[in-house]
Structure formats: structure tokens, C-alpha cells
Amino acid sequence: MDQIKLEENFQAKLDRNEMIEPKDWMPENYRKHLIRQISQHAHSEIIGMLPEGNWITRAPSMRRKIVLLAKVQDEAGHGLYLYSAAESMGISRDELLDQLHTGKAKYSSIFNYPTLTWSDIGAVGWLVDGAAIMNQVMLQRTSYGPYARAMVRICKEESFHQRQGFEIMQVLAKGTPEQKAMAQDSLNRWWWPSLMMFGPADDNSPNSANALKWKIKRESNDQLRQRFVNQTVPQVEYLGLTVPDKDLKWNEEKKGYDFGEVNWEEFYNVIKGNGPCNKERLSAKVQSHKDGAWVREAANAYAAKKNKVAAA
Ligand code: BYC
């Protein structure tokens, strides 16, 4: 079949809302686009373990410690499903990790901010996982089968993460004046970076046109950001806290909130590697990869021995 026919068939399949599977023909740019997005997503899950892992030893009770430990383990699992989905497009895990470790691949901007207090763990679960779910619900219907299927399971777990974060905030916001102030401080620091998670504004998003045409994304960055604000503001009110945005206002006509301008200069600075924790996060990840070399070697040696026995 010639190239034009192949591309027409591919687009017709997408238009019928059929999934693309690993062995199906796909344009090279679709493959590249997805490897970029899925691997960035996988890296975000893995790097996302660092700011939360920072609080496992300091969680305020045994129950909180167990829940946080389980959450961080879930993030590792999400990273693994996503690396597997990316590998199904013909790239190796080693290449993907190398791109992360050398700073060629991005991961979510949000994980370059520090978790300074216990209530930051509440804010991360509530706002960061909340923003992640808002984006990921549509990805359950993304056009690439292995990515869509990974997202179904990830979304279930992220919903639990969001609830546990909200519950931490609820306890603090209804607690002593000091606890409430701590919760407000976390909201002040995490609100705007959470809005940045959805990516640049639509008129400044170079990847969106192809992503929408190929049904990788089904909604735009701005649509999802707006929905997140609409959903989260009532939760802030329920907690008795204040959104750190003087321009936030209900707009009856659009049945949603108007809100202030995201600080895009800060966003681009963070994704270029100059956020508060970029260097710390990357060097922790590179170090843990080096420290884990013996585990990979042992696993490979074990697998090789098992294969030899099976072949004999
Ligand atoms: N951070 O053309 P655009 C999680 C980059 S949550 C860093 O709009 P696209 C977790 C973008 O990559 C987070 N970089 O891109 C939660 C592009 O640069 P390149 C993970 C960003 O792809 C709790 C450039 O800016 N979720 O895992 O159409 C605990 C222009 O952007 C960001 C996902 O990754 C950002 N926030 O839209 C633990 C969801 N935003 O690549 C873990 C899947 C934009 O051309 N990803 N950039 O050099 C997506 O849905 C989309 O990739 C995005 C961006 C919405 C993020």
C-alpha cells in the first residue's frame, strides 16, 4: 500500500474511534509524539516519588506512614506501566532512562517544587493528583491502545491518592489555627504550579494540533485547566481556605470561574531546568539508578540462568 493510502486508513481508523495497536501501521510522527508524551509521563511518575518519599520517615502517625508508602509505591507501578507502553512503540527502557538522566526528556514541572511541610503532602495529593486525574481521565480514551489501557488502572489509583490528600487537608484545615495556617500556606505555594501542570495556553502549545488530530489528547490544555479550577474552588471553600488569586471570580455567563494569568515565565524557567529543585531531583534519580546497578545485574544473571535451564 502506498504512503498516502496508509495515512488515509490510519486517520479513518482514528475517526471511527478505533484504537491503534503496536503492530498497526502508524505515521513516524505519531510514534515520535507518543514516545515523547508517554515517556515524559512515565518519568513524571518516577520523579514524583521523590518529593513524597521525602516525608515517609516523617509522616505524623503510623497510619499516615502506611498510606503514604502505599501511594509512593503506586507511583512506581504507574511509571512501570507507562514505560512498558512506550517500549511497545519500539524504544528500549535504557534509551528512555538515558534521555531522562541526561536531561533530554522532560518530566512534569510540578515535581521541581519542594515539599516543605506535612501539609504539602496533603496539597500534592489533593491538587497535584487532582490535576493529574483531570488530564488523565481523557487519556483513558487516547488513541494508542497500550497507553489507554495503562491509564484506566492509573486513574483508579490516582482517585484514591486525591482523596487521601484532601483528607489530610481537611484534618489540618479544621485543626488548630497553626494547622490551618499551614494548610493555607501549602495551598498558596501549590495552587499556581498545579495550574501549570496542564501545559502552556492553547495558543502557545506547539504539540496540541497534532495531539488533537490524532486523538492522543481529546481536550485542550486550557479546557482542562478551566475544569480543574471549576472543580477545585468549591473544595477550597469547603475547607475554609482561600485561593491565592485576587482575580478569581465566578462568571455566570460561562458557568465557570475567571482566574488570573499563570506566571508563564516561571513555568518556562522550570521546564528549562531552573526551577527550585530541578538539579536536586535529577541528581537523586541518577544516583539511585547507579545504586541499583547490582539489582539489575542480579536480575539479568538470574534470568539468564533460568533460560539456560529451560533450554537444556
Ligand atoms: N511540565 O505543546 P505542549 C503525575 C512541555 S502528573 C513539563 O502543550 P503537550 C503524578 C511539553 O512537553 C504529571 N513540561 O505539549 C501525579 C512540550 O515540550 P516538548 C504527568 C511541560 O504534550 C502525582 C512543551 O512544554 N502527566 O504523573 O501537547 C504523583 C509545550 O507543551 C508541561 C502527564 O504527563 C509540564 N507541566 O501537552 C505522581 C500527562 N506542560 O516535549 C505523579 C500526559 C507542557 O515538546 N501528558 N510541557 O519538549 C500530557 O497530557 C501532555 O504532554 C501535557 C503537555 C498536557 C503535559
Side-chain angles (χ1 to χ4, degrees):
M1 222 187 290
D2 67 24
Q3 184 76 11
I4 296 174
K5 194 85 198 130
L6 284 167
E7 287 195 11
E8 277 173 10
N9 282 354
F10 172 80
Q11 194 60 48
K13 206 166 179 181
L14 294 178
D15 294 343
R16 291 193 303 270
N17 274 327
E18 285 174 25
M19 297 256 181
I20 306 300
E21 296 297 339
K23 288 190 175 152
D24 293 344
W25 183 89
M26 61 186 83
E28 188 51 21
N29 284 341
Y30 176 82
R31 197 179 79 85
K32 281 196 184 134
H33 188 117
L34 269 169
I35 289 177
R36 176 191 65 85
Q37 176 168 327
I38 302 173
S39 65
Q40 286 180 6
H41 195 163
H43 301 327
S44 304
E45 301 282 356
I46 300 300
I47 298 281
M49 295 164 76
L50 295 168
E52 297 195 292
N54 182 33
W55 277 90
I56 291 173
T57 53
R58 292 178 286 159
S61 69
M62 182 59 108
R63 173 175 167 263
R64 293 292 187 201
K65 199 187 285 280
I66 292 167
V67 172
L68 183 57
L69 198 57
K71 179 182 193 285
V72 174
Q73 284 175 339
D74 285 350
E75 309 301 0
H78 299 173
L80 298 185
Y81 315 147
L82 290 165
Y83 282 129
S84 298
E87 283 173 298
S88 72
M89 303 205 95
I91 184 162
S92 73
R93 182 85 54 110
D94 284 345
E95 273 176 273
L96 295 169
L97 290 178
D98 192 57
Q99 288 172 0
L100 173 65
H101 297 160
T102 55
K104 274 189 222 133
K106 294 189 171 73
Y107 57 86
S108 183
S109 49
I110 194 76
F111 300 118
N112 294 306
Y113 292 85
T115 42
L116 303 176
T117 62
W118 170 249
S119 67
D120 283 0
I121 295 302
V124 168
W126 170 41
L127 299 174
V128 174
D129 285 270
I133 300 167
M134 191 56 77
N135 177 288
Q136 290 169 358
V137 163
M138 74 165 174
L139 292 176
Q140 294 177 100
R141 293 181 299 119
T142 194
S143 56
Y144 187 57
Y147 192 21
R149 289 187 287 275
M151 290 319 303
V152 172
R153 181 149 175 198
I154 291 175
C155 280
K156 282 189 189 142
E157 293 178 351
E158 298 285 28
S159 302
F160 159 73
H161 296 172
Q162 197 269 353
R163 295 301 303 167
Q164 70 84 37
F166 188 73
E167 199 246 349
I168 292 175
M169 294 303 278
Q170 219 174 335
V171 169
L172 295 172
K174 309 279 174 211
T176 64
E178 289 82 2
Q179 286 174 317
K180 187 170 178 185
M182 196 197 268
Q184 180 64 54
D185 173 59
S186 294
L187 174 59
N188 293 347
R189 285 182 290 106
W190 290 91
W191 176 257
W192 290 106
S194 299
L195 297 194
M196 292 175 197
M197 284 176 70
F198 296 95
D202 291 352
D203 53 8
N204 230 343
S205 163
N207 297 302
S208 276
N210 276 340
L212 291 166
K213 179 176 88 174
W214 289 327
K215 299 197 176 175
I216 293 172
K217 295 206 284 207
R218 292 188 178 251
E219 285 176 282
S220 77
N221 298 358
D222 284 335
Q223 279 172 321
L224 292 166
R225 190 170 10 250
Q226 178 72 56
R227 183 160 328 126
F228 175 75
V229 172
N230 293 349
Q231 181 182 292
T232 312
V233 171
Q235 297 171 3
V236 176
E237 286 165 358
Y238 175 83
L239 292 173
L241 301 176
T242 308
V243 176
D245 179 358
K246 60 177 176 29
D247 297 321
L248 185 82
K249 198 165 170 262
W250 176 255
N251 181 330
E252 185 55 34
E253 219 167 281
K254 74 171 184 190
K255 300 266 180 257
Y257 287 91
D258 290 331
F259 54 96
E261 179 76 3
V262 171
N263 182 344
W264 293 117
E265 199 185 323
E266 176 181 323
F267 169 77
Y268 287 111
N269 206 29
V270 172
I271 66 172
K272 271 190 222 135
N274 304 318
C277 299
N278 294 61
K279 291 180 184 64
E280 183 186 329
R281 298 285 183 248
L282 207 54
S283 70
K285 174 68 183 74
V286 169
Q287 189 59 45
S288 80
H289 190 70
K290 279 188 192 146
D291 293 346
W294 70 272
V295 180
R296 293 189 294 280
E297 276 163 29
N300 283 339
Y302 178 71
K305 192 164 179 209
K306 234 173 126 188
N307 287 343
K308 217 166 153 191
V309 171

